[in-house]
Amino acid sequence: MTRSPQRTLLSTGVLADVAPGCRTTVVGVISGAPEATVRRLADLGFTAGTTVEVVRRAPLRDPVIYRVRDYDVCLRREQAALLLVAECVS
Protein backbone atom coordinates (compact mmCIF):
# COMPACT_ATOMS: atom_id res chain seq x y z
CA MET A 1 0.00 0.00 0.00
CA THR A 2 1.41 3.37 -0.98
CA ARG A 3 0.74 6.55 0.91
CA SER A 4 -0.09 9.81 -0.74
CA PRO A 5 2.34 12.69 -0.20
CA GLN A 6 1.87 14.58 3.03
CA ARG A 7 -0.54 17.48 2.66
CA THR A 8 -1.32 20.24 5.05
CA LEU A 9 -4.41 22.43 4.86
CA LEU A 10 -3.94 25.31 7.24
CA SER A 11 -7.03 27.33 6.45
CA THR A 12 -10.58 26.32 7.25
CA GLY A 13 -12.58 24.73 4.47
CA VAL A 14 -15.46 22.32 4.04
CA LEU A 15 -15.29 18.56 4.37
CA ALA A 16 -16.48 18.04 0.80
CA ASP A 17 -13.21 19.57 -0.50
CA VAL A 18 -10.85 17.35 1.50
CA ALA A 19 -8.97 14.79 -0.60
CA PRO A 20 -9.15 11.04 0.07
CA GLY A 21 -6.43 9.90 2.45
CA CYS A 22 -6.49 13.08 4.52
CA ARG A 23 -7.50 13.37 8.15
CA THR A 24 -9.06 16.57 9.33
CA THR A 25 -10.91 17.99 12.31
CA VAL A 26 -14.50 19.24 12.33
CA VAL A 27 -14.64 22.83 13.59
CA GLY A 28 -18.35 23.57 13.03
CA VAL A 29 -21.11 23.90 10.47
CA ILE A 30 -21.76 26.63 7.95
CA SER A 31 -24.31 29.25 8.88
CA GLY A 32 -27.73 28.72 7.39
CA ALA A 33 -27.42 24.94 7.26
CA PRO A 34 -30.75 23.10 7.64
CA GLU A 35 -31.26 22.29 11.30
CA ALA A 36 -32.43 18.72 10.65
CA THR A 37 -29.34 17.96 8.59
CA VAL A 38 -27.03 19.48 11.19
CA ARG A 39 -28.69 17.38 13.89
CA ARG A 40 -28.34 14.20 11.79
CA LEU A 41 -24.66 14.92 11.13
CA ALA A 42 -24.12 15.40 14.87
CA ASP A 43 -25.94 12.13 15.55
CA LEU A 44 -23.53 10.43 13.14
CA GLY A 45 -20.56 11.81 15.10
CA PHE A 46 -19.65 14.88 13.05
CA THR A 47 -19.28 17.22 16.03
CA ALA A 48 -16.72 19.96 16.66
CA GLY A 49 -13.34 18.52 17.57
CA THR A 50 -13.96 15.15 15.93
CA THR A 51 -11.25 13.76 13.67
CA VAL A 52 -12.53 12.61 10.28
CA GLU A 53 -10.61 10.64 7.66
CA VAL A 54 -11.65 10.71 4.02
CA VAL A 55 -11.55 7.04 3.03
CA ARG A 56 -12.60 7.11 -0.63
CA ARG A 57 -14.85 8.70 -3.20
CA ALA A 58 -17.19 7.13 -5.71
CA PRO A 59 -16.03 7.38 -9.34
CA LEU A 60 -18.15 10.47 -9.98
CA ARG A 61 -16.94 12.07 -6.66
CA ASP A 62 -20.24 11.48 -4.87
CA PRO A 63 -20.91 9.94 -2.37
CA VAL A 64 -17.80 9.82 -0.15
CA ILE A 65 -16.93 7.43 2.66
CA TYR A 66 -15.60 9.03 5.86
CA ARG A 67 -14.15 7.31 8.91
CA VAL A 68 -15.52 8.89 12.09
CA ARG A 69 -14.87 7.51 15.57
CA ASP A 70 -13.80 4.05 14.30
CA TYR A 71 -16.68 3.50 11.89
CA ASP A 72 -17.33 4.40 8.28
CA VAL A 73 -20.09 6.75 7.17
CA CYS A 74 -21.12 7.55 3.62
CA LEU A 75 -22.20 11.14 2.95
CA ARG A 76 -23.34 12.98 -0.12
CA ARG A 77 -21.15 15.88 -1.18
CA GLU A 78 -24.04 18.22 -0.43
CA GLN A 79 -24.06 17.10 3.23
CA ALA A 80 -20.26 17.18 3.60
CA ALA A 81 -20.25 20.75 2.27
CA LEU A 82 -22.09 21.83 5.43
CA LEU A 83 -19.19 20.86 7.72
CA LEU A 84 -16.32 23.27 8.33
CA VAL A 85 -12.99 21.54 8.84
CA ALA A 86 -9.38 22.50 9.43
CA GLU A 87 -5.92 21.01 9.44
CA CYS A 88 -5.80 18.30 6.80
CA VAL A 89 -3.11 15.81 7.76
CA SER A 90 -2.16 12.78 5.66
Side-chain angles (χ1 to χ4, degrees):
M1 178 179 202
T2 60
R3 294 185 64 121
S4 60
Q6 185 171 1
R7 294 179 36 165
T8 302
L9 177 64
L10 297 177
S11 62
T12 302
V14 293
L15 184 59
D17 293 337
V18 178
C22 287
R23 282 182 289 142
T24 187
T25 302
V26 176
V27 296
V29 295
I30 64 167
S31 63
E35 187 174 325
T37 304
V38 171
R39 178 182 219 64
R40 181 67 180 144
L41 290 171
D43 290 345
L44 291 171
F46 292 93
T47 57
T50 301
T51 300
V52 178
E53 179 181 356
V54 182
V55 178
R56 70 175 182 258
R57 285 194 169 124
L60 296 177
R61 297 181 44 106
D62 195 26
V64 179
I65 297 175
Y66 299 97
R67 183 160 293 133
V68 182
R69 302 178 193 220
D70 296 331
Y71 63 91
D72 292 348
V73 177
C74 187
L75 292 181
R76 292 277 178 201
R77 186 171 173 79
E78 176 182 339
Q79 298 162 328
L82 300 175
L83 294 164
L84 294 171
V85 295
E87 203 173 316
C88 176
V89 180
S90 293

